[in-house]
Amino acid sequence: MNLLLLKHLYKLKEAGDEYFEGFESKEQKIKMPNELEELKKQCENCTLCDLSKTRTNVVFGEGNPKAKLMFIGEAPGEMEDRTGRPFVGRAGKLLTKIIENVLELKRDDVYIANIVKCRPPNNRVPTIIEAETCKPYLLKQIDIINPKILVCLGKTAFMYLMNMDMPISKIRGQIFKYKEKKVIPTYHPSYLLRNPSAKKEAYKDFLLIKSMI
Ligand code: URA
């Protein structure tokens, strides 16, 4: 994580940014409400990073506020930005199908959120600064909802939640821990749409998740 941060700082330096000693991030000063609806309101008014300038809607997350199973994606895409709802585009349709057909749950039974709550321009991967700035919202969501299982959809979601940079093909289907919760990384549904042959492995991961609920 430190290496990633350093890499990013060097890029910014190359682009002309300057360093300041004793920088204190805004996020440390922000108080987070302990109630999900209040947190949502605060998040919807957030202007802490540049993604707030280009978003149409904040995509806070949705689902059962007492869900035992929570999915964490990377960032809203075009449809999500337009509607303010997570995973409603093509990838979202696949995720919903998996929830219903493999896990035999309803979408409303689980909670779905993302690492960052605003769409990055052209669906690029969120930067470490954007992810770290937005992360307190996600961590507070996790605290309030208190799910037993967190499913990270794709490498980016896992990397930013767990501060571990590893290929998704190496870690998928393994069980990690965040606080007392189980964390299971698996392929992002967009990846499965582009690489249908990976569906077999993803299916195994979801059967494992099903056996744990
Ligand atoms: N991809 C994500 O990671 N999240 C969404 O909400 C939609 C697509």
Side-chain angles (χ1 to χ4, degrees), residues 59 73-77 80 85-89 91-92 112-114 153 188 190:
V59 182
E74 178 178 313
E80 291 76 19
R85 298 182 55 210
F87 280 98
V88 289
I112 306 176
N114 281 302
L153 298 167
H188 192 286
S190 301

Side-chain angles (χ1 to χ4, degrees), residues 8-51:
H8 189 77
L9 286 172
Y10 276 125
K11 265 199 197 152
L12 291 175
K13 200 175 178 191
E14 270 171 28
D17 276 25
E18 290 174 23
Y19 288 86
F20 294 90
E21 286 295 329
F23 170 75
E24 195 187 334
S25 80
K26 291 185 207 160
E27 102 207 26
Q28 289 161 352
K29 293 188 203 148
I30 296 174
K31 273 214 156 166
M32 294 277 167
N34 290 317
E35 209 269 311
L36 204 58
E37 276 308 306
E38 286 301 308
L39 184 67
K40 184 176 180 191
K41 272 189 214 149
Q42 183 165 322
C43 187
E44 283 173 344
N45 289 311
C46 182
T47 53
L48 286 178
C49 84
D50 281 350
L51 297 183

